[in-house]
Amino acid sequence: MIFFRWVEYPQMHVCIHRTTDNGFFCSKYVGGKKVMGVTRQFKTKEELKDFLLGLPNPPIDFIREMIAGIE
């Protein structure tokens, strides 16, 4: 996995990594600490976008720009 980006929400952060098969792996952090057992994998950028936008109070513009920039 390769670190890709942080997404900041008001109550948490999500760390996104790219996987070797061009998928994505997300971990949740609250208060600067990783929440164990709260990870998700996605095969496509569309699945990732839907997940990120489905979380409470998403940074919509940031997520849309980030997804648009993924090749």
Side-chain angles (χ1 to χ4, degrees):
M1 287 188 290
I2 298 170
F3 173 76
F4 179 63
R5 184 133 335 146
W6 283 100
V7 179
E8 296 181 30
Y9 291 79
Q11 69 282 13
M12 67 181 165
H13 289 76
V14 174
C15 180
I16 304 171
H17 287 83
R18 295 289 302 254
T19 62
T20 55
D21 61 355
N22 290 324
F24 302 91
F25 184 86
C26 295
S27 300
K28 178 181 176 181
Y29 287 75
V30 175
K33 297 183 182 193
K34 184 175 182 179
V35 179
M36 300 308 289
V38 183
T39 57
R40 298 283 303 259
Q41 285 188 290
F42 305 96
K43 293 181 180 180
T44 67
K45 66 181 183 179
E46 289 78 20
E47 290 176 349
L48 174 65
K49 178 184 79 171
D50 291 343
F51 170 74
L52 295 172
L53 291 174
L55 294 172
N57 303 311
I60 296 170
D61 293 337
F62 177 82
I63 293 170
R64 288 184 178 155
E65 288 176 21
M66 177 188 70
I67 296 296
I70 296 174
E71 297 177 5

